[in-house]
Amino acid sequence: MNRLKPDKMPRHLAIIMDGNGRWAKQRMLQRIVGHQKGVEAVRATVEECSRLGIGFLTLFAFSAENWLRPKTEVQALMALLKKYIRSEVPRMMRNNVRFGVIGNREDLPASVNREIDDAIARTAGNTGMLLTLALSYGSRQEIARAAVRLAADAVAGTVDLATVSEELFNSYLFTGGIPDPDLLIRTSGEMRISNFLLWQLAYTELYFTDVNWPEFDRTELHKALKDYQERERRFGLTSDQLRVCR
Ligand code: IPE
Ligand code: IPE
Ligand code: MG
């Protein structure tokens, strides 16, 4: 396999981790077993991304729409989440990983929020990769919320409408302060965004793989990164212009 180029790593990698349920179903297992197996893939991905020097890793773990799943699955996912966050802090410390969350945290059970606060506080001093979990996250809700908060500041007089720019609006999103993703990976063969980071993905490279999330390993990650490194990101310019800039 061709080696990855360290100078061409995405600064920010975002992943829609999909296909846990189908992975389980194909093996006549309960959906939750797929989610449990998915946690192992998360662990491996976090470790490898941090080793590769990726600055920001954002994982879509639970969408605002996922609350409509059967109650037993939602409860099992919340329990798994709590267990994952608690058990991962020592590993985050070893890998110098900082932890964060985006999404409607007020929807989450109090016990999950306590683990999140604890993990954020304990890893706050780490200087390596920022691992962000998107929990109860929906991008349209995020954009609407940002608009409301910006409007409130305008009414309160702390923001002058004449100064409202893309950058300012961006700072009102959950992801304010985090650069836009360079690469988005979605597993399980679905080719849709499912209300994830709609604003932030404006110029992101998209990569889809048929592999279900529980089977997404280091080799699959390297395949995606290799593919990304071979692309030309033009941002509206022509190829010739990019060559002159380089
Ligand atoms: C992704 O796997 C994990 C979550 C959405 C929580 P799914 O649970 O969506 O798995 P499929 O898509 O049903 O196979
Ligand atoms: C997207 O997966 C959300 C997460 C991966 C957490 P879904 O499985 O919920 O997406 P759709 O509904 O099939 O598009
Ligand atoms: Mg799914």
Side-chain angles (χ1 to χ4, degrees), residues 58-92:
T58 302
L59 302 176
F60 202 4
F62 192 86
S63 75
E65 292 75 25
N66 289 149
W67 291 113
L68 298 174
R69 289 192 178 191
K71 207 170 154 203
T72 47
E73 180 167 345
V74 171
Q75 279 172 346
L77 278 168
M78 289 300 134
L80 199 58
L81 192 59
K82 199 162 69 181
K83 198 168 127 200
Y84 166 77
I85 298 171
R86 183 181 307 177
S87 68
E88 283 317 286
V89 173
R91 198 187 303 260
M92 289 182 212

Side-chain angles (χ1 to χ4, degrees), residues 42 50 65 101 149 171-172 176 203 208 217 219 226:
V42 171
S50 139
E65 292 75 25
V101 166
R149 291 176 63 223
S171 72
Y172 279 83
Y203 252 113
F208 298 98
D217 57 10
T219 309
K226 190 79 208 141

